[in-house]
């Protein structure tokens, strides 16, 4: 972790500043802490492999004891939950390899870690809406000058889209150490991961961010009132005269009135709106935003979805901001170059066809198709790419024929060494 990040960190329990305890075991440079112990008014927390662990769950206290004993390797094993020696050794080998991929690392963590769907994450319908909304809101309030935090951001798939919008590295907060570790290494390189508990007060200073977001996780949070109050606090910059208003985004949260897979403990639309005490929120049915994205934009945040629309959408998106530029039609800009590698979407099987290749859409499982089958609205069933188009992938430039293929997610921009 960057030492500068201590400026925005606070103890989740006493609210005090955190600083490195010099008298205890630590490793790092003048700019970064690699392993060590952070202290506040009330307790001490470990930094493991450059990630501050700001909760007191059993894994954290074991890791803290291991760091104090000068065993950062054992602290990392504790945070990854690797109890079995042979599995731990296999993981250590992958973690220290320069050529191991995201997939290799996930496999080394064993079958209980994360479903097999991460390969398809960048083109699933939930993701493309989350990405479009995060970019629209982020572009409005960050402007390359202010900082973002992605809370419960898991392995950093949406955090990745904030990397070029946030001035200081975007912070990725999640309970699962393995996920934020993967994010920093592969999915969102350069983000600043923090391991913390979404059901506890958030370990950050008031007004530390201009944009606080959480997608595809809020329905699993029990302490929803506290969570939203904390998001409002993180973007509260009223003590800074002349500062532009920030924004809170809760993307893809399930709806109590309409069943969906992995339902969680959702609220009704009014229930969600009532959580906001500081900034008035606007709620959107995800279907309308999805249609905007499939059409290539604009993403229409001037819309006012009526009660019936909100009640019947399985998923909702909530934006709260006083920024006057928020409630407009946001253009969906496409990048002109890949940030990682341009690849054919792994949902396609690829066969040689004359001078080019023939692609056929398929799904990894029936459950996947049920949950994400709406991707058929932009992914064609079959298509043929000529050899010159395939050759363009290696250039990393999104130009010519690739522009439309990229927009439709036939071609995806995957993190380097993803699979
Ligand atoms: Zn404390």
């Amino acid at each position: 972790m960057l030492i500068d990040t201590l400026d925005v960190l606070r103890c989740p329990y006493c609210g005090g500043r955190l600083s490195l305890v010099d008298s205890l075991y630590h490793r790092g440079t003048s700019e970064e802490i690699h392993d060590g112990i952070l202290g506040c008014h009330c307790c001490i927390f470990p930094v493991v492999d450059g990630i501050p662990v700001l909760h007191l769950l059993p894994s954290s206290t074991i890791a803290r004891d291991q760091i104090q004993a000068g065993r950062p390797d054992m602290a990392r094993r504790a945070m990854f939950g690797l109890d079995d020696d042979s599995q731990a050794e296999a993981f250590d080998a992958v973690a220290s390899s320069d050529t191991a991929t995201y997939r290799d690392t996930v496999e080394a963590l064993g079958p209980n870690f994360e479903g097999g769907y991460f390969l398809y994450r960048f083109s699933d319908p939930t993701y493309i809406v989350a990405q479009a909304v995060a970019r629209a809101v982020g572009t409005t309030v960050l402007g390359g000058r202010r900082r973002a935090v992605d809370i419960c951001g898991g392995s950093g798939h949406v955090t990745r889209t904030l990397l070029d919008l946030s001035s200081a590295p975007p912070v990725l907060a999640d309970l699962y150490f393995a996920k934020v570790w993967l994010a920093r290494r592969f999915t969102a390189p350069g983000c600043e991961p923090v391991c913390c508990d979404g059901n506890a007060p958030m370990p950050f200073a008031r007004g530390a961010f201009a944009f606080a977001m959480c997608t595809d996780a809020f329905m699993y949070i029990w302490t929803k009132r506290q969570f939203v109050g904390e998001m409002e606090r993180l973007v509260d910059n009223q003590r800074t005269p002349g500062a532009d208003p920030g924004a809170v985004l809760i993307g893809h949260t399930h709806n109590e009135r309409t069943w969906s897979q992995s339902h969680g403990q959702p609220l009704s639309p009014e229930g969600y709106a009532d959580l906001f005490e500081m900034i008035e929120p606007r709620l959107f049915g995800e279907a309308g935003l999805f249609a905007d994205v499939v059409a290539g934009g604009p993403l229409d945040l001037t819309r006012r979805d009526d009660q019936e629309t909100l009640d019947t959408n399985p998923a909702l998106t909530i934006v709260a901001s006083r920024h006057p530029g928020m409630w407009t039609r946001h253009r969906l800009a496409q990048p002109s170059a890949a940030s990682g590698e341009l690849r054919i979407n792994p949902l396609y099987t690829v066969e040689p066809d004359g001078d080019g290749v023939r692609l056929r859409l398929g799904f990894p499982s029936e459950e996947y198709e049920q949950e994400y089958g709406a991707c058929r609205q932009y992914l064609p069933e079959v298509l043929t790419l000529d050899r010159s188009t395939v050759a363009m992938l290696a250039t990393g430039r999104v130009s010519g024929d690739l522009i439309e293929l990229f927009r439709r997610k036939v071609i995806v921009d995957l993190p380097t060494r993803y699979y």
Side-chain angles (χ1 to χ4, degrees):
M1 65 173 288
L2 298 168
I3 289 173
D4 286 351
T5 300
L6 290 173
D7 286 342
V8 299
L9 293 186
R10 295 290 183 274
C11 169
Y13 310 114
C14 72
R17 280 183 166 269
L18 293 154
S19 57
L20 183 69
V21 182
D22 288 321
S23 57
L24 297 174
Y25 176 87
H26 60 279
R27 288 192 301 179
T29 65
S30 59
E31 288 173 2
E32 293 184 354
I33 303 168
H34 195 269
D35 300 285
I37 299 288
L38 301 178
C40 59
H41 302 302
C42 73
C43 49
I44 57 173
F45 301 95
V47 177
V48 182
D49 227 359
I51 300 174
V53 182
L54 302 178
H55 60 68
L56 298 174
L57 297 171
S59 58
S60 170
T61 54
I62 295 167
R64 185 192 65 200
D65 293 347
Q66 293 288 6
I67 294 280
Q68 285 190 261
R71 291 300 303 268
D73 54 334
M74 297 306 287
R76 186 168 82 176
R77 285 187 186 188
M79 288 314 302
F80 274 99
L82 297 166
D83 308 324
D84 176 76
D85 279 349
S86 63
Q87 196 196 359
E89 279 161 26
F91 175 77
D92 287 347
V94 165
S96 59
S97 154
D98 292 334
T99 55
T101 63
Y102 183 99
R103 182 184 220 162
D104 297 334
T105 314
V106 167
E107 283 171 2
L109 287 169
N112 296 329
F113 180 76
E114 186 158 15
Y117 296 153
F118 66 86
L119 271 185
Y120 317 109
R121 182 73 177 134
F122 288 105
S123 68
D124 80 41
T126 307
Y127 178 80
I128 66 168
V129 174
Q131 193 244 10
V133 178
R135 283 205 68 88
V137 174
T139 303
T140 305
V141 298
L142 295 171
R145 290 171 293 115
R146 303 163 76 198
R147 193 169 200 178
V149 60
D150 183 6
I151 305 160
C152 302
S155 316
H157 291 84
V158 182
T159 322
R160 180 175 176 81
T161 72
L162 302 173
L163 289 172
D164 64 324
L165 296 178
S166 184
S167 52
V171 171
L172 166 61
D174 201 278
L175 180 61
Y176 295 98
F177 184 87
K179 291 189 178 186
V180 297
W181 188 96
L182 278 164
R184 185 191 55 193
R185 190 175 173 96
F186 296 102
T187 340
C191 79
E192 188 76 324
V194 173
C195 190
C196 61
D197 182 359
N199 284 302
M202 292 177 192
F204 305 108
R206 178 176 293 271
F209 304 96
F211 181 20
M213 59 167 288
C214 168
T215 65
D216 205 0
F218 189 59
M219 56 275 186
Y220 307 119
I221 296 291
W222 176 240
T223 52
K224 291 184 177 64
R225 179 188 180 199
Q226 172 179 268
F227 192 99
V228 168
E230 286 290 85
M231 290 180 100
E232 290 178 318
R233 183 179 66 82
L234 300 191
V235 301
D236 174 18
N237 58 12
Q238 292 186 46
R239 291 180 193 170
T240 313
D244 284 337
V248 168
L249 162 65
I250 294 176
H252 191 84
T253 188
H254 291 160
N255 186 348
E256 187 184 58
R257 299 220 168 95
T258 303
W259 183 86
S260 49
Q261 263 175 298
S262 324
H263 204 49
Q265 301 108 34
L267 300 182
S268 63
E270 308 87 87
Y272 283 123
D274 281 349
L275 297 169
F276 289 79
E277 293 186 333
M278 303 279 292
I279 317 171
E280 194 186 332
R282 289 201 194 179
L283 276 66
F284 303 94
E286 195 173 279
L289 302 175
F290 177 67
D292 288 353
V293 176
V294 171
L299 185 78
D300 186 1
L301 296 188
T302 68
R303 62 158 49 85
R304 296 281 197 163
D305 285 341
D306 60 22
Q307 190 67 46
E308 193 195 342
T309 304
L310 295 177
D311 284 348
T312 53
N313 261 263
L316 302 167
T317 287
I318 307 164
V319 180
S321 181
R322 296 194 193 92
H323 197 293
M326 192 61 70
W327 316 114
T328 59
R329 294 181 177 85
H330 296 263
R331 201 168 71 85
L332 298 182
Q334 280 217 74
S336 56
S339 54
E341 299 171 327
L342 292 181
R343 305 277 291 263
I344 293 172
N345 188 324
L347 285 172
Y348 285 100
T349 50
V350 181
E351 289 167 2
D353 182 47
D355 217 18
V357 292
R358 186 175 172 77
L359 310 186
R360 182 177 298 279
L361 184 64
F363 296 103
S365 69
E366 247 174 64
E367 293 77 43
Y368 183 93
E369 188 171 2
Q370 263 172 26
E371 194 161 359
Y372 301 117
C375 66
R376 286 208 164 91
Q377 290 186 40
Y378 44 92
L379 294 174
E381 226 28 68
V382 288
L383 77 162
T384 310
L385 304 183
D386 60 39
R387 195 209 308 214
S388 64
T389 305
V390 176
M392 284 168 69
L393 296 178
T395 68
R397 308 286 311 166
V398 183
S399 58
D401 289 349
L402 292 189
I403 294 174
E404 183 62 8
L405 291 167
F406 188 84
R407 192 183 74 73
R408 296 196 62 170
K409 304 293 171 195
V410 173
I411 301 298
V412 283
D413 178 6
L414 295 182
T416 310
R417 288 192 287 128
Y418 197 55
Y419 77 99

